[in-house]
Every structure is written in C-alpha cells, then in structure tokens.
Amino acid sequence: MSTDDLVANATGLPATLTPALVERLARRVTAGPGERVTTYAPYTGSPLAELPVSTPEDVEAAFAAARRAQRAWRDTPVQQRKRIVLRFHDLVLERQNEILDLIQAENGKARRDAFLEVADIALNARYYARSTRSLLRPRRRRGAFPVLTRTTELRHPKGVVGVVSPWNYPFSLGAGDTIPALLAGNAVVQKPDTQTALCALWAAELLYEAGLPEGLWQIVLGAPREIGAPLLAGADYMMFTGSTATGRRIARDAGHRLIGASLELGGKNALIVLDDADPDRAAEGAVRASFASSGQLCISVERLYVHDAVHDAFLTRFLAQVRDMPLGAAYDYSHAMGSLTSPAQLAAVTAHVDDAMAKGATLLAGGRARPDLGPYFFEPTVLAGVEPGMACHGDETFGPVVALYRYGDLDEVVEAANATPYGLNASVWTGNGRRGRAFAARLHAGTVNVNEGFAAAWGSVDAPMGGMGDSGLGRRHGAEGLLKYTEAQTVAHQRLLGFAPPKGVPYRLWAASLTTSLKAMKHAGMK
C-alpha cells in the first residue's frame, strides 16, 4: 500500500474506507431491509457508515443459520480448522493497513495503539490454531479402580456461542474471543458495538476468505434493549466484554437459563512504583499504561502510587512526557494519543475531572478538551489529591485521566491498591524482579505486570487473563480461553469386576475386601 493510502481524504476518512467497502461489509450483517443507523467518525464528527439494524426476528434467524452450519463444523477435523485460522493470521498481517484504518476511523485511537490490536489477533490466532488439537484431544483419567476402570475425558463444542464485543478494542475483542470459540467447533452469533461494527465485519469477511464455511460467524447489530434478550435466549454460552452493571444482568440471566458465561468487566487499575525502581523507566511505562488508546482500555492504569524515595524524580519525568505527548488525528504513526470515541465518553471524562477539581484535587497536567484537534479530544490528565467522595477516586473513568498518590509504607500501599471492588489488572515497577513478583502476588488482580503496564500479561496468551471481584467471571487466553466453549464429558468403561460383589460373595466380605484395597492404595501413594 502506498503512502497516499494512509492519508485521509477530503472527508477526513482514510482513502481505504470507500463507500463500496462499507456497503460490502454491511451486507454481512444479519438484518432485513428496514431500519438503518449512522455511525460517526471520532476524528471529525462526520458521518462514517450507514449500517442495517437487526430485529429480534433477525437474531433468531442468525441462530438458526448458525446451528445449521455448526452441525457440519463440529465434525470438521481440527487440522482443517487450524489451517483456516492460520490463513486468517497471514491475511491479517498482509492487509493490516486496511484494518488499522478502520480501527482509527471508527474508534479514534492513535495508529500505534491500533497496531497492538493487529499484533494481538495474530498472537491469538497462531496460539489457538496450534494449541486446539492438544486441548481437545481425549484424555485418559485415573479410573475408580486401577486397570478395571478405563476413564476418558472428552470435549464437545457448546453449540452456538453468543459474543458481545465492545467499541474500545473493536478488532482485538471483535475477533479475539470468536477465534477460540470457532476452533472448539462452535458457531458464533456476535453483537459488536454498532459504532465499531466495521472492524468485526472486516474480521469476519477475512476469516471467510481464509476458508471458514459460510454461516458459522453471524453478526447482528442493534441496541441491547432490542436484541439483547433474543441474543441471550438463543446462545448456549455467553462471552461478554463491557460494563460491570451489564455483566451482572447477563450473569443473572445466564444463570436462570443454566448456561455458562464469561465476563470481562470494568477496572480501576493501580500502578505501584517501589522505592528501588528506575524513575526514567517507570515514568515511560506509566505514560503508556495510563494513556494507551486514550485511556479507553479496561486494563489501563487509573491510579499511580509512587514511593517517597523516587517520587520527585518520577514525577518530574512523568509530567514532562505527559505534557510533551503528541496528540492528533492522523492515519499514520506520528501521534502517541488520539481521540475519545464518542460525545458520551468526552462528557464522562470531563465530568470526572471537573468533579475532582471542584472538590479540591490539584491538576498537574492536562485537564482540557481539545476541540481544536477534533470534537472528542481530551488532553492526557494527571491529578493529585484525589480523595474518597470524588467520582474519579473509585469509579472507572475510562479515559485519559490518572490520579497520583505518594506513599511510604509497603503494607499501606498494598491495602490502598486493593481497596476497590474491582480486580482486573495491576502493575509493579522495581529494580528487583524477584521482589516485584513477590509483591505482585499480594495484589487483588487477575493479571499483574512487573516492569510493564499491561501488555506483558495481555500478550502472554498461553496464560489466563480476566478479573476478580467486580471485574468479571471466567478467563480468556490460555487453555480456559478455549475450553470454556466446550462441554466436558466423562466416559468410564468398567471391565471384569464391578461395584457389586461377585455372585455368591456376601456383601460384608466384599466391603471388607474393598476397605483393604482402599487402604493399600493410600499407602502406595496413589491418588
């Protein structure tokens, strides 16, 4: 792709985002010819795409089509599924400029942050494509009686998985949960956020181009109040990423239906700088941890705790980098931070900052909207003196705002970092890795990064990722990220002797014989 293709045209949209592309992707939505909805580009506020809206009947049709396709897919050899996903991996990397443009056009983040989504999908596609056969293979398990009981664990696909993906990481979360669900033998009916639906639709188109049988990945669009209920009613399992309030309702309704659900919800993540940390390295890492994707990231940092010994040196370096951060709207790698995604996000961030300032917080950097750059831009903002009673003290801001706290006692900072109902991500900075890992184990968070903000744990796709407390249930990544989309089945074949005494043997003698055998197995160290 030439450099000219990366330059926005007169409408402020990338040259790759043509009306023909939008219309082609829109045809992948399972929806009739009725209502349509317009999305808007965050960089300019101008119309971006007109997309069809699905009705409850369309959602039911999507599930019916997905179930028909899944019957053949569940019997498709894992090696064939693997080849399709690895071709998808290659296509994503080869055509990354297309999806980078789409991510920026729909979400407004900087291209540097958009590229992390491309890398994430490549990592996930390769990992699960090459792990699925091992994860799904039948496994011999210890039987009730040695030799006499042959026990095997099998894994079957759930059927049709419902996926609800958010707008903040529209490609990474738009495809990242669908890939393992499909590899496990399921079909998927997905509702991406309408604002960023083109990214999910592009991913689906590319996976079909890679060889996915038609019908397996259905995409519906619409307001949760209209199609949320039929989506949950048709699913055999739910994967949701979004707010804690909505996650609670999904967990309740999934529980009523006795289906499983995996929920990645909100976070109020802490970064702790220990007394032996390198201030330069910690400051650079804290900038990325706090302001990646304009702070619109569940695992980004919103609380900074810095030890007295390094506080002043850290603060000088941190504020200098925040104030010098290049902001702007461009379809290239020239800016470190882009725009917020919507008027609602701008209003929420502004309200948190204004509330803190009105109640006595000190503004150390930023604090202003930047309409000169675009309608939803807001400066990276650092606050001190944030206390209970201020909205941004305990509530998730989900924007480029971080509160700075000074501390001197390690036990007290652990207590402060853990003093939140959330438990999604945390970060520790130190000059001693062993000390950092030991400190990390004391934090109430599903992932903890040592000398990194969030990318080390997120990118370790062989390890589980998810939240504690109000940050959710279940895990993505690792074995659980695929096995949660399966039903475990135990097949136990009893040979020769059974669990009743042989003919003619009194039950008393049979029980005594079993008692002796059980004691012997314990003394032999058997499980």
Side-chain angles (χ1 to χ4, degrees), residues 164-513:
V164 178
S165 55
W167 49 264
N168 62 317
Y169 271 66
F171 183 51
S172 183
L173 299 178
D177 295 311
T178 297
I179 289 169
L182 291 170
L183 280 167
N186 300 283
V188 169
V189 176
Q190 180 170 352
K191 191 198 86 64
D193 189 278
T194 302
Q195 170 61 30
T196 53
L198 292 177
C199 289
L201 291 164
W202 185 89
E205 180 176 83
L206 216 64
L207 193 51
Y208 280 121
E209 184 178 329
L212 186 73
E214 282 291 337
L216 280 171
W217 189 356
Q218 301 279 331
I219 293 181
V220 295
L221 295 180
R225 65 180 178 276
E226 300 295 334
I227 65 171
L231 183 68
L232 184 59
D236 300 307
Y237 187 90
M238 280 298 301
M239 176 65 218
F240 172 79
T241 305
S243 72
T244 298
T246 301
R248 289 186 191 280
R249 292 194 294 271
I250 290 176
R252 178 198 64 199
D253 294 342
H256 181 74
R257 287 198 56 222
L258 297 180
I259 65 169
S262 184
L263 314 167
E264 191 205 285
L265 310 176
K268 193 68 178 178
N269 309 303
L271 184 151
I272 302 107
V273 182
L274 301 184
D275 55 357
D276 62 349
D278 178 340
D280 288 300
R281 188 179 179 193
E284 181 183 0
V287 169
R288 286 185 284 106
S290 303
F291 304 118
S293 293
S294 306
Q296 299 175 134
L297 173 58
C298 295
I299 53 178
S300 67
V301 165
E302 296 194 4
R303 296 180 292 152
L304 288 176
Y305 297 91
V306 185
H307 193 278
D308 289 331
V310 293
H311 177 273
D312 292 348
F314 170 89
L315 185 60
T316 298
R317 292 159 175 79
F318 180 65
L319 292 180
Q321 292 183 49
V322 171
R323 291 166 179 154
D324 290 343
M325 186 181 298
L327 313 180
Y331 292 91
D332 57 34
Y333 291 98
S334 58
H335 296 121
M337 197 179 93
S339 173
L340 295 169
T341 301
S342 67
Q345 286 307 114
L346 177 63
V349 170
T350 302
H352 268 207
V353 174
D354 289 349
D355 173 77
M357 296 294 295
K359 294 175 179 177
T362 300
L363 182 67
L364 300 180
R368 298 181 303 152
R370 292 293 301 275
D372 55 312
L373 299 175
Y376 315 137
F377 275 83
F378 197 94
E379 293 177 334
T381 298
V382 184
L383 297 170
V386 173
E387 299 177 349
M390 300 178 184
C392 69
H393 179 269
D395 296 342
E396 183 179 33
T397 303
F398 215 66
V401 179
V402 65
L404 180 73
Y405 303 91
R406 186 170 188 150
Y407 77 93
D409 182 83
L410 289 182
D411 291 334
E412 289 180 3
V413 78
V414 169
E415 183 177 353
N418 289 340
T420 171
Y422 296 110
L424 189 56
N425 182 56
S427 174
V428 180
W429 291 78
T430 175
N432 184 314
R434 178 178 295 180
R435 182 189 185 204
R437 293 190 298 274
F439 188 88
R442 301 177 64 188
L443 300 177
H444 182 77
T447 56
V448 184
N449 298 259
V450 177
N451 292 340
E452 175 38 53
F454 55 79
W458 177 266
S460 299
V461 294
D462 190 39
M465 185 275 160
M468 302 176 180
D470 284 3
S471 290
L473 300 171
R475 296 291 184 267
R476 57 163 56 96
H477 296 171
E480 186 177 342
L482 183 139
L483 292 179
K484 67 186 180 184
Y485 299 125
T486 67
E487 295 282 8
Q489 181 186 47
T490 297
V491 177
H493 175 199
Q494 189 67 24
R495 297 176 288 191
L496 300 175
L497 295 178
F499 286 80
K503 187 175 181 179
V505 176
Y507 209 101
R508 178 178 56 82
L509 293 178
W510 176 246
S513 174

